[in-house]
Amino acid sequence: MIIEKDVDRILVSKSEIAKRVKELALEMDEFYQGEEVVLVCILKGAVTFFSDLVRSVSFPVQFDFMCVSSYGSGSVSTGDVQIKKDLSVDISGKNVLLVEDILDTGNTMMALIELLKERNPKDIKLCTFLNKPARREQPIEADFCGFDIPDEFVIGYGLDYDERYRQMPYIGVLKREVYE
């Protein structure tokens, strides 16, 4: 792939991803024990993870999607949370599981969870594929987490830089010269 020239190194391989997604699904199956859950994919970055995850869980699910942004075309969160696509289902009284690509500062997710709590769900849980605790600014942790990663700019498996690199089947570290 031409885009692979921009990858400094592979952080999480395709096989490691597949193994961890199955493990997360088992954790969720045990937690929800057959209860129905509204799985909310946070677009666009979580779509690949979401797709693999929903095919691996065994409890009944409804799908929905939200598009929330605080990055624009940059590599650092602006802190200004914008909801570009809201839920289309009523979550009142329902178990809700937010499926996110990466938990970084926590600013976006904290704002989103506060917004969704106003809609009276039975429960809200967070599943993040990647967790970057070194950058956390809010007291938020994922209920289900794929991988803890260092404070590096990562791409692939749905994660992008300026809408590129999402299709790579692994998590790679983007070369600094690409985004600086």
Side-chain angles (χ1 to χ4, degrees), residues 50-77:
F50 181 83
S51 178
D52 288 345
L53 186 66
V54 298
R55 289 179 288 149
S56 299
V57 298
S58 63
F59 51 85
V61 299
Q62 289 184 354
F63 288 9
D64 209 344
F65 302 86
M66 291 187 81
C67 189
V68 184
S69 178
S70 66
Y71 282 83
S73 65
S75 62
V76 178
S77 175

Side-chain angles (χ1 to χ4, degrees), residues 12-23:
V12 185
S13 72
K14 181 179 179 179
S15 62
E16 290 172 312
I17 291 169
K19 180 179 183 251
R20 186 64 185 129
V21 168
K22 287 185 174 131
E23 291 169 351

Side-chain angles (χ1 to χ4, degrees), residues 26-162:
L26 288 172
E27 289 174 31
M28 292 173 186
D29 286 344
E30 188 175 315
F31 180 80
Y32 287 110
Q33 297 192 0
E35 286 190 49
E36 185 171 81
V37 180
V38 178
L39 290 174
V40 178
C41 178
I42 308 301
L43 299 172
K44 299 177 188 172
V47 124
T48 306
F49 173 49
F50 181 83
S51 178
D52 288 345
L53 186 66
V54 298
R55 289 179 288 149
S56 299
V57 298
S58 63
F59 51 85
V61 299
Q62 289 184 354
F63 288 9
D64 209 344
F65 302 86
M66 291 187 81
C67 189
V68 184
S69 178
S70 66
Y71 282 83
S73 65
S75 62
V76 178
S77 175
T78 62
D80 179 28
V81 177
Q82 300 173 354
I83 295 183
K84 296 180 175 184
K85 187 225 174 287
D86 206 341
L87 294 175
S88 57
V89 299
D90 179 8
I91 61 169
S92 179
K94 297 180 181 175
N95 292 310
V96 174
L97 178 60
L98 302 175
V99 179
E100 175 68 301
D101 57 356
I102 188 165
L103 184 57
D104 193 338
T105 64
N107 293 326
T108 303
M109 192 50 57
M110 187 69 105
L112 179 58
I113 289 171
E114 290 306 311
L115 170 81
L116 294 177
K117 280 181 180 177
E118 295 173 7
R119 300 178 189 183
N120 301 313
K122 176 180 177 184
D123 187 45
I124 297 179
K125 297 291 183 207
L126 171 61
C127 174
T128 188
F129 178 62
L130 299 175
N131 181 38
K132 203 185 283 189
R135 302 226 341 126
R136 195 80 78 246
E137 295 176 4
Q138 296 292 330
I140 185 171
E141 293 300 325
D143 300 285
F144 304 97
C145 177
F147 299 93
D148 285 334
I149 62 167
D151 186 13
E152 299 191 82
F153 197 98
V154 292
I155 52 172
Y157 196 64
L159 286 90
D160 74 304
Y161 170 65
D162 203 17

